[in-house]
Amino acid sequence: MINIFQPSLGDAELAAVAEVFRSNWLGRGARTQEFETRFANHLGVGGEHVTSANSCTEATFLAVELAGVGPGDEVVLPAVSFVGAANAVASAGARPVFCDVDPRTLNVRVTDLEKALTPRTKAVLLLHYGGYPGEVEQIAEVCEDRGVLLIEDAACAVASSVDGRACGTFGDMGVWSFDHGKVVVTVDGGMFYAKDPDMVAAAAKRLYFGLEQFSGFSQAQRTDARWWDFEVSSFSRRSITNDVLAAIGCVQMDRLPGFLRRRQEIVTRYHKDLADLPGVLLPPPLPPGHVSSNYLYWLQIDGGIRDVVAKDLYENGIYTTFRYPLLHRVAAYGAGDVRLPNAERAAEMTLCLPLHQALTDEDVDHTISVLHDAVTSRLAGARKAQS
Ligand SMILES: *Cc1c(COP(=O)(O)O)cnc(C)c1O
């Protein structure tokens, strides 16, 4: 089966893990710090702006908490977004307000956002669909003008940028994922960014029981007489990562430029070889200055044949899917019967193709060829049924 997502973990990651085993320090320590520093450098921000977490979902819950979101507040997010994002809002006792998206990029536009903002809007939780930055600069301005906090879910956008500025750093807070299906993989893990370093310090505290200081669990020598004491002034959970996973992350950061090059090659092939396929729309070109991490490659297939095309691909050993199922249709979020026509149409037409750096040229050839046959024959079938 050709996977849609796939991690690239090998001997270099194993060697880094072995080194951590031999060091006898598996918990949060030097490697975690190194990974955080490297990630901050990659974003182009100082180390005081980031802290790692055990998942992106945890970092999202944390961002919503630190935004001071609570009962009576609204948080706007796209209908095409990750379930964890809506859960973070709902579990804070606030109301998730779902907005529509661009029909082609599946990203929120300023016009979509403005329809959803109310005086109760406390924050916007923006997704960079598939790695496309979208109108993030303009959205950041709107949020600032309205006094609304902007949190960027940059799980798809680990190396996305606009004019050299990293996605995830346009707003007040940003979060990234390193789970097993993302571009950079630590098996499980996340990163939290805040514009305000005090917020990062508050985040780090909340990620470790709410303790006032952390030196007790680093290898640093404590010089106080009673180094075993700790100071509790707030109550929180334990959501840190560790040196085993961070060591994997450091190797993945070394390999990231290679991953991105290979992903771009595959996207270029898809663009070139699918451009003339009737009934299929490809992701629109990126505006000048925009860089995508190429996390997803999505087609939009006309004529109600998306699902049967996906089945044909599956039967030929190619796994595809749609990301992300509509959240306003999840009854538990209480959106009622709000209509978001672009998102709804996109959810019926959009199919994400295999995209990861381990795809071989043969995998890509096979996918393109099966897709050509499936779309052509299913479209002909649909037309015949109609006439
Ligand atoms: C994967 C993903 C997440 C969650 O990341 P975890 O690290 O698995 O918690 C959040 N948002 C988006 C858009 C994702 O794709």
Side-chain angles (χ1 to χ4, degrees), residues 76-135:
V76 177
L77 68 163
V80 179
S81 182
F82 187 63
V83 61
N87 284 355
V89 176
S91 87
R95 195 164 89 85
V97 174
F98 301 104
C99 71
D100 213 352
V101 294
D102 179 281
R104 297 287 307 284
T105 65
L106 284 76
N107 259 333
V108 175
R109 299 164 300 187
V110 169
T111 51
D112 302 312
L113 179 63
E114 278 176 339
K115 285 182 197 145
L117 294 172
T118 77
R120 289 178 300 281
T121 310
K122 185 93 176 204
V124 170
L125 187 36
L126 189 70
L127 177 72
H128 298 287
Y129 185 80
Y132 269 43
E135 296 182 4

Side-chain angles (χ1 to χ4, degrees), residues 55-58 82 127 153 155-156 177-179 182 189 295 324:
S55 74
C56 177
T57 301
E58 177 61 30
F82 187 63
L127 177 72
D153 177 349
C156 306
S177 171
F178 313 119
D179 79 21
K182 298 305 197 291
Y295 176 59
Y324 296 86

Side-chain angles (χ1 to χ4, degrees), residues 215-362:
S215 46
F217 62 89
S218 79
Q219 283 168 303
Q221 288 298 309
R222 293 285 304 276
T223 49
D224 341 12
R226 288 160 59 95
W227 56 86
W228 47 83
D229 283 346
F230 51 73
E231 196 186 334
V232 181
S233 62
S234 60
F235 318 119
S236 192
R237 48 204 186 262
R238 183 188 185 283
S239 310
I240 56 170
T241 190
N242 59 65
D243 273 16
V244 177
L245 302 186
I248 297 173
C250 290
V251 175
Q252 291 270 295
M253 291 309 289
D254 287 335
R255 297 178 65 192
L256 179 58
F259 292 170
L260 295 168
R261 268 197 305 277
R262 180 61 186 152
R263 297 177 89 95
Q264 185 57 56
E265 274 171 20
I266 296 162
V267 165
T268 304
R269 273 289 317 275
Y270 280 153
H271 273 326
K272 187 162 119 342
D273 290 11
L274 298 172
D276 59 350
L277 186 56
V280 162
L281 293 173
L282 307 183
L286 285 160
H290 284 220
V291 173
S292 171
S293 309
N294 292 315
Y295 176 59
L296 298 175
Y297 189 88
W298 63 100
L299 301 177
Q300 296 184 309
I301 311 178
D302 254 342
I305 61 164
R306 190 265 317 258
D307 297 357
V308 286
V309 167
K311 187 167 157 285
D312 291 347
L313 287 160
Y314 184 77
E315 283 165 2
N316 283 280
I318 302 156
Y319 192 85
T320 58
T321 192
F322 169 61
R323 286 283 196 280
Y324 296 86
L326 300 175
L327 295 177
H328 67 295
R329 291 286 172 75
V330 177
Y333 297 131
D337 35 50
V338 59
R339 300 302 312 272
L340 301 170
N342 292 331
E344 284 161 26
R345 206 170 132 65
E348 292 304 311
M349 292 176 63
T350 307
L351 189 66
C352 303
L353 296 187
L355 181 55
H356 56 80
Q357 53 277 349
L359 285 174
T360 64
D361 289 346
E362 292 69 35

